Structure formats: C-alpha cells, structure tokens
Amino acid sequence: MDRSEFSLIGILGGTFDPVHYGHLRIAEEIVEMAGLREMRFVPAARPRLRSVPVASLQDRAEMVRLAIQGNSGFVLDEREIRRDDLSYSVDSLRELKQELGENVTLCFVTGADAFMKLAEWHRWREMFGLCHFIIAARPGHMLTMNHDAVPQELKEECAQRWASSVDSLKRATSGLIFIAPTTLLDISATIIRARVAAGKSVRYLIPDAALDYIVTNHLYSEEG
Ligand code: ATP
C-alpha cells in the first residue's frame, strides 16, 4: 500500500487525576505538528507502576470528556476503564491496531518523565512493533537518555530509533521515536490535587468544565 494512504493516530495514556492544560496543550501541538487524524485520550483504570489514583475511574474519564469537548480532533477512549483492571498499554495498542486496521499508524505520546521509565512497563519492547513514540519535554524532566538513571537496555533499544523529523513517522509503520518541541508547561495533576486540598485556586491550570466537575463532586478536597 502507498504510504500516503496511511493516517496517524495519537494515543495519550495517563491517569488524568485530573486532566489539565499540560496534557491538552501537548496533545493539541502534537496533532498539528505530526498531522495526526486524531488524539485518543486513554485513561488508565489501575496503573501498575504508580499509586492508586485519588479520583474514581468514572470521575477521571468524565473530566477528560468535559475537557476535550468541542475539539473534534480529540477522542476519549474508555477501553482501559472498561477493562477495570491493571492497564497495560501494550494490550491497548494491540487492540487498537486490530480495530483501526492496517492503514493506521499509531503514535504513543508520553512526557519525557514517563518515557525514561519505559523499561519498567509490561512487555515494553513489543510496543516498538506496534507504534511510534512521540515524546513531549516537561519542565523538570528533560529527556536525558545518557543519564545514569536510564537503564542500559532502554538506551540500547532506542539507539537506532530516533527520528530526525516528524515527517519520518509517516514513512514507517512503527518503531521510531520523535522528540516533539512542545510548549513547556509546568503543570502536574499532583500540583492540582495539592492545591485543591489546600483550598487554593486551580483556575487556568485546567479547563473550567473539569474544574466545575471537581467542585460539584468535592473531588480532591478534605470534604471529598
Ligand atoms: P501526576 O502528577 O499525578 O503524576 P501527571 O500530571 O504526570 O500526573 P498523567 O496523567 O500521569 O499526569 O500524565 C499522562 C501523560 O502526560 C504522561 O506521559 C506525562 O508524562 C504527560 N504529561 C503530564 N503533564 C505534562 C506536562 N505538563 N507536560 C508534558 N507532558 C505531560
């Protein structure tokens, strides 16, 4: 098949506890930069490598739904929530590949902090056979692959995979890594939860619709 018939779809996995403008802005910029057909937000039900999320999975998904409404390029994908068990990105990617068909190229989007821990993920090497990776820089978490904290096996796996331009992603079905020069926004869900718990404002850090949902449902507060 002619590679020009392929379309690229972005997958942004996360806990989204809650979703914030850090997520939304990298998604928007990467859709534009890489010419993605859509960006799928995939909330994780029960992430294996981090503490249990504070908000319920229904609340986290609902906040994503509210936050992305009005953006026709953004889609909420609830597959990991429906599974309601340990979430493995590799399984979701395999499922998506089957559902979306051969002429779709998947691009898995992570922040630099998440990517540097990739070797801890379940069957992580298989992911390179299923998708490309697009990495967004994050304040305080610059991508430094020569750092001692990055395991040798990840360095070696990545060595031949760096894409010099975003257009390279269109010329292969999987296996490349592109570092996206996105706007640095020092926003994290941890900071938002802490500010809400302390009764401080999180306005302009997350979309109003998601903030209204937090207030109405008393999420992250002492009361909640
Ligand atoms: P927490 O503070 O609870 O750890 P988080 O803000 O990192 O949460 P997640 O839902 O865990 O949010 O993140 C999902 C993905 O988005 C991860 O790959 C993460 O690296 C990336 N990400 C989150 N916030 C940013 C940001 N401000 N800039 C770039 N990438 C981000």
Side-chain angles (χ1 to χ4, degrees):
M1 193 185 294
D2 179 355
R3 295 283 322 153
S4 62
E5 293 169 32
F6 278 63
S7 51
L8 270 58
I9 289 192
I11 311 294
L12 178 55
T15 327
F16 302 118
D17 190 21
V19 64
H20 52 70
Y21 279 132
H23 302 123
L24 295 165
R25 187 63 205 168
I26 60 167
E28 177 78 356
E29 292 186 16
I30 289 170
V31 165
E32 186 175 59
M33 194 182 300
L36 304 185
R37 192 172 88 194
E38 66 188 32
M39 181 70 80
R40 290 192 173 223
F41 289 67
V42 189
R46 209 149 53 86
R48 186 172 66 103
L49 296 169
R50 47 177 295 155
S51 48
V52 179
V54 177
S56 72
L57 43 95
Q58 288 77 12
D59 284 338
R60 291 183 287 115
E62 184 58 16
M63 288 187 279
V64 172
R65 196 186 65 72
L66 291 166
I68 66 176
Q69 69 190 357
N71 186 329
S72 58
F74 287 180
V75 175
L76 169 63
D77 185 319
E78 296 186 274
R79 71 191 56 241
E80 294 192 3
I81 286 201
R82 280 195 297 269
R83 224 180 278 146
D84 191 8
D85 198 356
L86 282 180
S87 306
Y88 296 128
S89 301
V90 67
D91 295 331
S92 300
L93 287 167
R94 205 170 283 288
E95 256 178 47
L96 276 161
K97 250 201 132 45
Q98 270 177 359
E99 268 170 42
L100 298 169
E102 283 303 303
N103 53 351
V104 159
T105 296
L106 301 176
C107 297
F108 194 86
V109 175
T110 70
D113 56 319
F115 187 79
M116 289 198 291
K117 294 190 187 141
L118 188 70
E120 296 169 26
W121 293 25
H122 187 58
R123 306 200 327 261
W124 63 279
R125 282 183 207 272
E126 277 177 47
M127 294 175 76
F128 288 104
L130 296 166
C131 63
H132 295 309
F133 281 87
I134 300 182
I135 307 176
R138 195 170 176 181
H141 301 279
M142 292 304 145
L143 187 73
T144 42
M145 293 299 285
N146 56 1
H147 195 281
D148 287 348
V150 179
Q152 192 58 25
E153 52 178 348
L154 180 59
K155 288 179 190 164
E156 282 168 13
E157 185 64 55
C158 295
Q160 305 300 321
R161 299 189 177 280
W162 300 106
S164 53
S165 78
V166 73
D167 290 334
S168 322
L169 304 181
K170 297 199 174 81
R171 294 194 280 270
T173 43
S174 66
L176 297 176
I177 310 167
F178 176 68
I179 303 175
T182 45
T183 302
L184 294 173
L185 290 172
D186 196 2
I187 306 175
S188 70
T190 304
I191 287 177
I192 290 166
R193 291 193 301 273
R195 290 190 69 86
V196 174
K200 293 186 177 161
S201 165
V202 294
R203 203 170 166 201
Y204 310 129
L205 293 175
I206 66 171
D208 286 345
L211 175 53
D212 290 346
Y213 188 89
I214 289 175
V215 172
T216 306
N217 294 283
H218 312 292
L219 301 183
Y220 310 122
S221 63
E222 295 270 299
E223 199 186 333

